[in-house]
Amino acid sequence: MKCLRLTGPMIVLLLLPACGESKKEANSPQGADAAVEETPYGDESNASPAQQGDYSALYALGESCKLTPGQLAEALDLEAGQVEEKGNYQGNCTYAVTEPGGLTIQYQVGNERWPQDIVLDNIRTARESDLYDIRMSDSGDTYITRHPAQGFLLLLNPEYANPVKISFNYFNPDGPKLTEAQMAQRRENTYKIANYLIESYQK
């Protein structure tokens, strides 16, 4: 920006400090660029929500299931005998849940092997995209996200790598398909499991 050169000495004295001040503000690290750096995810008062506990065990990779059948039954308000562990591959576990009415739904729970920077990237993407369903956990310190095209939930805590993935499926070639209302209820069940996990592992 060019400053006007005027002939009156008094006016020049008044304008010169203003010109110098503008350059100083433009080059100052305390200007607009610095403000952007302080909020790397945009307007995110909850980008790093205050942690309500230590979740190291929840996000630690291992060979054991994150939930026993009894715990999963408790999370879904079912009897223990209605849940059976069907498989465990490196800590990613599959459970068969027999619901009232005879439907059997399979749920999968396990960690993704992601570094922390990928977790932060996914939080940013979910917050900025209208495609994602993103909500805060009941504990107030973990993002729970779902992409409609993928269906599964992710527990994304900005303080930890290896987010927890929760999904469900129903396959019965000889029986009826799930209605949209039934699908919605099973999706809601995955949120129950997510919040149960967080509460159970909170230390």
Side-chain angles (χ1 to χ4, degrees):
M1 171 179 162
K2 295 183 179 179
C3 296
L4 298 176
R5 188 183 297 276
L6 302 177
T7 55
M10 183 64 71
I11 296 176
V12 170
L13 288 174
L14 291 173
L15 288 176
L16 283 177
C19 294
E21 185 105 2
S22 297
K23 288 182 180 179
K24 181 179 178 182
E25 288 179 5
N27 295 326
S28 170
Q30 302 303 319
D33 289 343
V36 171
E37 290 175 1
E38 290 175 359
T39 55
Y41 305 106
D43 182 17
E44 287 196 20
S45 58
N46 290 322
S48 290
Q51 296 298 295
Q52 303 303 312
D54 181 350
Y55 301 104
S56 300
L58 178 58
Y59 296 102
L61 298 176
E63 301 296 319
S64 300
C65 295
K66 294 298 181 184
L67 292 172
T68 65
Q71 287 174 318
L72 183 56
E74 184 178 2
L76 298 177
D77 297 318
L78 299 172
E79 298 295 327
Q82 293 176 257
V83 180
E84 180 185 358
E85 183 183 319
K86 301 296 287 186
N88 176 354
Y89 177 71
Q90 297 181 343
N92 288 279
C93 297
T94 301
Y95 307 85
V97 176
T98 303
E99 301 181 347
L103 287 178
T104 298
I105 310 293
Q106 288 200 336
Y107 291 87
Q108 293 81 32
V109 181
N111 293 89
E112 295 286 271
R113 297 171 181 268
W114 291 3
Q116 193 173 356
D117 61 330
I118 300 299
V119 172
L120 294 174
D121 250 358
N122 272 260
I123 292 173
R124 181 189 299 111
T125 299
R127 288 178 62 88
E128 294 176 353
S129 172
D130 292 336
L131 293 176
Y132 283 83
D133 175 7
I134 178 169
R135 61 179 77 175
M136 188 63 70
S137 64
D138 291 347
S139 60
D141 55 14
T142 303
Y143 293 101
I144 304 175
T145 69
R146 185 197 305 277
H147 191 293
Q150 298 164 327
F152 55 78
L153 287 189
L154 286 172
L155 277 61
L156 300 172
N157 188 310
E159 301 297 323
Y160 297 92
N162 310 318
V164 177
K165 177 180 175 181
I166 302 172
S167 61
F168 77 94
N169 61 65
Y170 169 73
F171 179 71
N172 185 0
D174 301 321
K177 293 183 178 180
L178 294 180
T179 66
E180 185 51 46
Q182 289 173 321
M183 288 286 288
Q185 181 57 55
R186 278 66 191 176
R187 284 193 292 268
E188 198 57 37
N189 281 348
T190 58
Y191 288 105
K192 290 181 181 180
I193 296 168
N195 283 302
Y196 183 92
L197 272 169
I198 293 168
E199 183 180 356
S200 297
Y201 278 85
Q202 192 179 69
K203 292 184 178 179

